[in-house]
Structures are given as C-alpha cells and as structure tokens.
Amino acid sequence: MDSFNPDNNFLQSEGIFGLPFTYDDAKLILIPVPWEVTCSYGDGTCKAPDAIYKASFQIDLFDHNLGEEWKKGIYLDLAPEYIYDDNAVQRRFARQIIHHLETESKPLNDRQTKQLDEVNKVCDGMNAYVAEKSTQIHTDGKISGLVGGDHSAALEHIKAVAKREKEIAVIQIDAHADLRESYMGFTHSHASLMNNLAKDATGITKVIQLGLRDICKAEADLIQSSPLFSAFFMNDIRQWQYEGKKLKDIYSDIIKDLPDKVYISLDIDGLDPSLCPNTGTPVPGGFDFYEVVFLFAMLHESGKKIAGFDLCEVGISDNSEWDANVAARLLYQLCLYTLRSNG
Ligand SMILES: [Mn+2]
C-alpha cells in the first residue's frame, strides 16, 4: 500500500480497479457469479465478472464527489472452478429445453424432464455457494456486493444481507419485475428472482421496483396484491417529469418511507439499452447513468445505509467493450457509495 500510486494504478496491482487489496484488508468484498444457465434470450452475462474486472483498470480512482473512499478496500473474490463448469454444462441442457419450448407444442419428453430437474438441482448448488460465501464475508465483519451473472444469482445474497441487517428495503432497478412463478420450468430463472425472494423475505420490509417497463399480467396482479412490493413504472416516472415534477422529488417520495438500511439490486437493463446493448433482455427507455448514481447519492444523503448490492445481467459481446466499461463504472460508484454510507 505504501508504494501504491492511485494515479498510476494500471500496472501496480492485479486487484479490481487496479487496487492493491487482499480479502483480509478489504472492507467490501465482491462475489463474482459467472452464471447464465436459465437465460431465455441473449447470452454472455456469465462472462461479465471477468469482463468488468478487465474494464475496471480504466477507471481513475479519485472520485469528484467521494474522493478517496476506495482506501477502505475493495476486493473481487474468485469464483470456484465448478461454478464455471456447472454453468457451461447446464447452459447447454437449458438451451435445448428452451429451444423445445419455443418451437414445439408438445410437452417435454422424459429425457428432457430429467434434464430440467438436473438444471434446477445445479441452480440450487449455485445458490448454496452464494449463501455460504455471503455469510462467510459477513461473519468476517465485511460488507458484500455481488457481480452476476444473470439476476437469479442474487437471491441468496439478498437473503443473507437481509438476515444480517434484520430490517432492510430492497431497491430493484430493472426493466422487469422478475416476479414469474417459474419461467419455462426453471425454478431459479432470472425472471423469477423476486418471486423466489418473496417466499422467504425474512428481514425485508419492502421491495421497491424502479424502472419497470416490460411485465406480464400475473406479475402486475402480484404487485397489486402483495404488500411487499411497490412498483414504479418507467412511463409513470417519465410522465411525472414531463409534467414538471423533479426527479429529486420523485426519489424523495420513494425513499422517505424506507427503513434505515437498503439493499440495491441493480439489473443493468434498468438502464437504457444504449448503456447496455448486449444485456440479455434489453427494453428501450431506461434510466440514464447519472439518474442511477443520483439515487445512490440521495440514499446516502438521506442517511440510509447501503447494506449490500448486486449488479447483474451485464451482457458481454466479443465485438464491444462498451457494456463492461459502463458496468465497471457503475460498479465503482456502487462500491464508493456503499463504503461511504457504511461510515
Ligand atoms: Mn431485467
């Protein structure tokens, strides 16, 4: 650390953002989950943790608003090899099942049903890894963030943070509600994350869904009937703004009733697809980069603690580094505001 020059960090170290921290001396640990087994449309998000890591070296550490908050220590953990392997193997099976469901009117045959069971079992294994890793980080007195992977990877991380903090709100920034009961037979689909969370929402008083713009009727009904969820649709947010309401006031109204501790679950497709063109299920009309960072800042300024976060669904293409570049910068802001709000 003594020899570390933060203005010349691209050669100094192999840590994320070019930082010289180890697990032991970092306050914030990032859990990578290179996972996209049940992705139903575009793929590539399993490559996101590695691509974001590579893109992270481009970022200047000094932050105009938060200064040298990075000094508290950020460390990107390594995912175990079996997570990479399970993802690769099961993704192939899942893709065959998805292809069948999209092209055939017949139900799955016995072999396919067995494959589906196996996919669901291996997804349980990924969840167990995330649960164990999250709990270990918390036991070690550190804060955790998760880098997906598809959004299903975040389930056990959110639950672990909620159990530790006892009373949190989850702020989900997403084009989708992720409230499907299961999707294409996959229990742990990215489209079912919040439905699965609602089944064991210990410690979660509210899930605020921000930026929704592509949901099905059953999801809309669930939002209506469940006291756990409050949804803010993108077209409503824009309409309020067009009619003269300030984004600051919209955010204030949302934040004011939340408990002191919040978790941010950030699906990159909550942002406009111009900022994440390779995400798995892009929907036009999302948030701008600084509209999201402004929310982090308002949470912090209103005295909330960001108790944990995830950043998921970043799509990686061989032809462009743009998605990873945007994601690395968003991740850095998330890390800084999380560290700052934890004192
Ligand atoms: Mn989404």
Side-chain angles (χ1 to χ4, degrees):
M1 190 68 182
D2 289 344
S3 63
F4 179 69
N5 176 356
D7 288 342
N8 185 26
N9 57 323
F10 40 86
L11 289 175
Q12 299 282 325
S13 151
E14 292 188 351
I16 190 164
F17 307 118
L19 292 171
F21 297 101
T22 63
Y23 179 93
D24 288 337
D25 55 22
K27 184 169 176 187
L28 171 58
I29 307 296
L30 301 174
I31 307 166
V33 189
W35 195 261
E36 59 173 11
V37 167
T38 67
C39 278
S40 48
Y41 187 54
D43 57 13
T45 194
C46 70
K47 297 178 189 155
D50 292 330
I52 291 170
Y53 165 74
K54 288 196 189 97
S56 76
F57 291 84
Q58 296 300 321
I59 294 173
D60 276 319
L61 292 175
F62 179 76
D63 185 82
H64 172 63
N65 289 319
L66 297 178
E68 297 189 297
E69 203 64 32
W70 59 266
K71 286 187 171 174
K72 291 173 182 166
I74 305 165
Y75 175 77
L76 174 68
D77 204 12
L78 287 173
E81 275 305 314
Y82 76 85
I83 292 288
Y84 286 94
D85 294 345
D86 284 354
N87 174 68
V89 172
Q90 299 305 319
R91 177 76 180 116
R92 274 202 301 278
F93 290 144
R95 209 173 297 203
Q96 288 163 12
I97 294 165
I98 291 167
H99 179 74
H100 175 93
L101 293 172
E102 284 176 344
T103 56
E104 310 263 345
S105 51
K106 306 192 291 274
L108 299 178
N109 62 33
D110 287 353
R111 184 181 56 84
Q112 289 167 320
T113 305
K114 276 206 193 93
Q115 278 180 352
L116 178 61
D117 291 345
E118 178 67 16
V119 169
N120 285 333
K121 207 171 85 196
V122 172
C123 289
D124 288 340
M126 178 276 292
N127 282 325
Y129 153 67
V130 173
E132 192 186 332
K133 180 58 82 176
S134 308
T135 307
Q136 183 61 53
I137 293 166
H138 299 162
T139 305
D140 293 338
K142 300 171 187 295
I143 316 163
S144 57
L146 180 141
V147 183
D150 76 63
H151 215 167
S152 72
L155 177 68
E156 292 298 330
H157 184 245
I158 304 175
K159 283 159 71 170
V161 172
K163 274 174 194 144
R164 177 171 80 159
E165 303 290 344
K166 307 236 172 18
E167 189 188 358
I168 63 165
V170 174
I171 300 179
Q172 175 196 2
I173 300 169
D174 202 325
H176 311 90
D178 295 348
L179 280 172
R180 291 173 190 263
E181 177 61 41
S182 69
Y183 195 56
M184 296 179 151
F186 303 119
T187 321
H188 289 289
S189 163
H190 61 110
S192 303
L193 166 67
M194 291 299 163
N195 193 306
N196 286 325
L197 185 66
K199 288 172 181 152
D200 178 12
T202 310
I204 301 171
T205 58
K206 206 65 176 164
V207 177
I208 301 288
Q209 302 183 296
L210 212 51
L212 305 188
R213 52 198 191 278
D214 190 17
I215 74 166
C216 73
K217 173 75 165 60
E219 291 178 303
D221 291 345
L222 185 55
I223 290 167
Q224 279 295 321
S225 65
S226 167
L228 185 62
F229 294 99
S230 288
F232 294 85
F233 289 81
M234 201 70 209
N235 57 356
D236 288 336
I237 293 171
R238 290 303 184 220
Q239 191 174 329
W240 296 329
Q241 289 183 285
Y242 301 151
E243 289 169 355
K245 193 162 181 178
K246 290 184 184 148
L247 189 62
K248 184 180 181 185
D249 296 329
I250 296 170
Y251 284 167
S252 285
D253 289 347
I254 294 169
I255 291 171
K256 71 179 187 322
D257 296 327
L258 301 184
D260 293 340
K261 291 170 271 187
V262 298
Y263 178 101
I264 296 174
S265 187
L266 212 171
D267 181 329
I268 198 81
D269 71 27
L271 273 71
D272 192 77
S274 56
L275 295 165
C276 50
N278 290 294
T279 191
T281 44
V283 188
F287 286 109
D288 182 22
F289 185 90
Y290 277 111
E291 289 177 327
V292 174
V293 174
F294 181 52
L295 177 65
F296 306 159
M298 278 193 66
L299 285 166
H300 168 56
E301 276 155 26
S302 67
K304 307 289 180 206
K305 180 173 105 173
I306 301 172
F309 64 83
D310 62 76
L311 175 61
C312 292
E313 301 282 353
V314 177
I316 302 303
S317 134
D318 294 338
N319 310 319
S320 166
E321 292 172 13
W322 180 235
D323 299 71
N325 185 342
V326 173
R329 287 169 190 280
L330 199 54
L331 179 65
Y332 193 55
Q333 292 295 314
L334 261 174
C335 289
L336 296 189
Y337 276 103
T338 300
L339 286 168
R340 174 63 63 91
S341 75
N342 276 269

